[in-house]
Amino acid sequence: FKVFDDNQLEHILLAKGETDDTYMVGKIAAFQIQNLLVAYKERFDKDNFIKNLLLDNLLLVDIYNRAKKLHIDTDVRRIVFIIETKNEKDTNALETVRNIFSTKTKDFITAVDEKNIILVKEVKQTESYDDMNKIAKVHVSYGTIVNEIKEVSRSYKEAKMALDVGKIFYENQNIIAYSNLGIGRLIYQLPLPLCKMFIREIFDGKSPDEFDEETLTTIDKFFENSLNVSETS
C-alpha cells in the first residue's frame, strides 16, 4: 500500500472536487490503513526476531537490543513447543494454532520449516510440566522451561530432539517432553559406530530377526522402562 499523509490526501481529494464528507471518509480510511500497516510491520518484525532467536542467528547483544525495541520481556519463563503437521505447507494448521493463542499476546507462533509449527509460550511461575501436557493436545514435543530469552533457542533444540527421539522410541505417544526421554535420549546421542559395536558385543553378531517373539518383547520392555530390570520383570 502507498500511504498518504493528511496534506497529500487532502490535496488529492480537493483536486477531484470531492465533498468534505468524502474527504473525511478518505481520511478515516487512510488512518485505518496506516494502523493496519503498523500492526503488520510489528508482527512481521517480531516473527522475524523469534525465528532468528530460535535458530541462534543473533549475537547476545542483538537479542536484548531487539527485544527492547519490540517490547518483548527478556526475563520471563518460556518454553518451546513443536507441533508436527501431517502435510507440508499446511497454512490452515498454522492459522488454527494462531487462533487458539491469539488472545495471549506474549506467546509467539511461527514456523522455520514447512513441516512444523513452533509455539514459544510464556510460562507462569505457578505452571509446571503437567500444565504443559494439558496444553499439548495433538502430536507435539516440547523442551525445558527457560528463564531468559537468550535460552529460548536451547528449548527449541530440545523440543526438536524430543520430536526425533519420540518417533523412534515413543511412537505411540502424542506428547513428547525432552525431560522425559530417558534412555532414548542417551541412545539417540550416541555415535552410530559406537551403537553398532555395542550391538555386536551384546548380541554376539546375531540379528534381531533371529530372536523369538518373547525375547524381542522383553528387550522392548527393558528399554521402555529405562533399563530398569525390576520394572521389566
Side-chain angles (χ1 to χ4, degrees), residues 161-174:
M161 178 184 286
L163 192 65
D164 292 337
V165 174
K167 290 178 182 177
I168 300 172
F169 297 98
Y170 311 102
E171 60 181 357
N172 294 325
Q173 296 183 25
N174 287 328

Side-chain angles (χ1 to χ4, degrees), residues 120-151:
V120 181
K121 187 184 185 311
E122 184 171 319
V123 182
K124 297 177 182 177
Q125 289 295 334
T126 55
E127 290 182 312
S128 66
Y129 287 109
D130 287 337
D131 297 305
M132 299 304 102
N133 281 331
K134 293 174 185 177
I135 293 170
K137 295 181 180 179
V138 290
H139 191 77
V140 303
S141 64
Y142 59 85
T144 53
I145 297 172
V146 298
N147 295 310
E148 292 189 47
I149 197 166
K150 66 179 181 179
E151 298 176 328

